[in-house]
Amino acid sequence: MAKGALLDSVDALKRRDLEAARRIMAADRELNERRYAIEQETLVVIATQQPMAVDLRTLAAFLEIATELERIGDYAKGIAKITVMMGSEPFVKPLIDIPRMAEKAASMLNRALHAFIGRDAELARAIPPEDDEMDALYDDIYRELTGFVIKDPTLIDRASYLIWVAHNLERVADRVVNICERVIFTVTGEVVEFNGDVEDMTSTDFE
């Protein structure tokens, strides 16, 4: 649902489909409800089954990942809201890098969830370095749009809208990195923090 909302929100922006954008905004409520349902069910299992070691880490991962997915849904809702705010105003520039960011973020998210389902710590380790590409795309968009505004200050609102969209997509990638860190912890018991090209890892015995 989160991945679909993300891709749909950028598609609605590209097509200037205000009705689709409004539907995405309204559908965010269901994603929120799913998150709270997962939390409730998980807490019941923790309270009644008293799980240990890897089982407890897995349940904690349910709570964390559900929260990350709900926040990704919020970013999609934000992009849809921007589409409605823009209305029929023309784009400052053709949308090229923003759809690339959306596809990249969706791909990262899809693989991160497969890593969790498959308990694949190596796949989870392979995804975070791709966040650098998302950061680079965001920086390129920011610099290009800022350049347009410097040349023509009347473009500031329209440029800002697209910068906000790109920022939301960049934040989605950050959420995916958080999911990958949680997958590694769940599978191995290792606390891992990815920071750019650097992986800081502390092994902790939770078995």
Side-chain angles (χ1 to χ4, degrees), residues 8-197:
D8 289 346
S9 68
V10 173
D11 183 64
L13 176 66
K14 286 169 55 180
R15 295 186 294 106
R16 315 308 297 275
D17 189 335
L18 303 188
E19 288 306 311
R22 292 188 179 96
R23 287 195 296 271
I24 292 165
M25 293 167 64
D28 182 64
R29 182 174 182 176
E30 183 179 355
L31 226 170
N32 294 343
E33 291 172 350
R34 291 286 184 95
R35 172 202 166 182
Y36 290 121
I38 289 170
E39 287 185 356
Q40 182 176 3
E41 292 173 14
T42 302
L43 292 173
V44 167
V45 172
I46 292 173
T48 58
Q49 302 298 321
Q50 297 182 336
M52 301 292 289
V54 67
D55 289 336
L56 182 58
R57 295 201 302 269
T58 300
L59 290 167
F62 288 160
L63 297 174
E64 178 72 18
I65 292 173
T67 298
E68 299 293 356
L69 291 172
E70 187 269 331
R71 288 173 178 168
I72 289 171
D74 288 341
Y75 294 133
K77 179 181 177 182
I79 293 171
K81 184 176 181 180
I82 289 168
T83 298
V84 173
M85 292 170 63
M86 289 185 68
S88 60
E89 291 184 54
F91 292 129
V92 173
K93 63 180 291 292
L95 294 188
I96 298 173
D97 288 335
I98 283 177
R100 286 178 60 196
M101 289 186 75
E103 291 291 341
K104 182 67 176 175
S107 172
M108 292 173 65
L109 175 59
N110 192 58
R111 284 177 284 135
L113 293 176
H114 276 290
F116 178 58
I117 294 168
R119 300 183 57 78
D120 190 338
E122 291 309 307
L123 176 57
R125 292 182 194 277
I127 297 167
E130 298 177 29
D131 183 49
D132 291 341
E133 182 180 342
M134 291 290 287
D135 292 341
L137 285 168
Y138 172 72
D139 290 342
D140 288 344
I141 291 170
Y142 183 85
R143 283 194 296 267
E144 186 175 14
L145 291 173
T146 300
F148 284 128
V149 172
I150 291 172
K151 293 178 181 178
D152 183 359
T154 65
L155 299 176
I156 188 169
D157 286 342
R158 283 186 283 158
S160 295
Y161 288 139
L162 296 184
I163 289 173
W164 292 342
V165 170
H167 178 69
N168 277 12
L169 294 171
E170 188 273 331
R171 291 295 294 144
V172 169
D174 292 338
R175 298 294 178 187
V176 172
V177 171
N178 291 345
I179 292 173
C180 290
E181 292 173 352
R182 178 58 64 172
V183 171
I184 294 168
F185 176 68
T186 300
V187 175
T188 69
E190 296 170 330
V191 178
V192 179
E193 292 186 6
F194 293 95
N195 181 18
D197 293 329

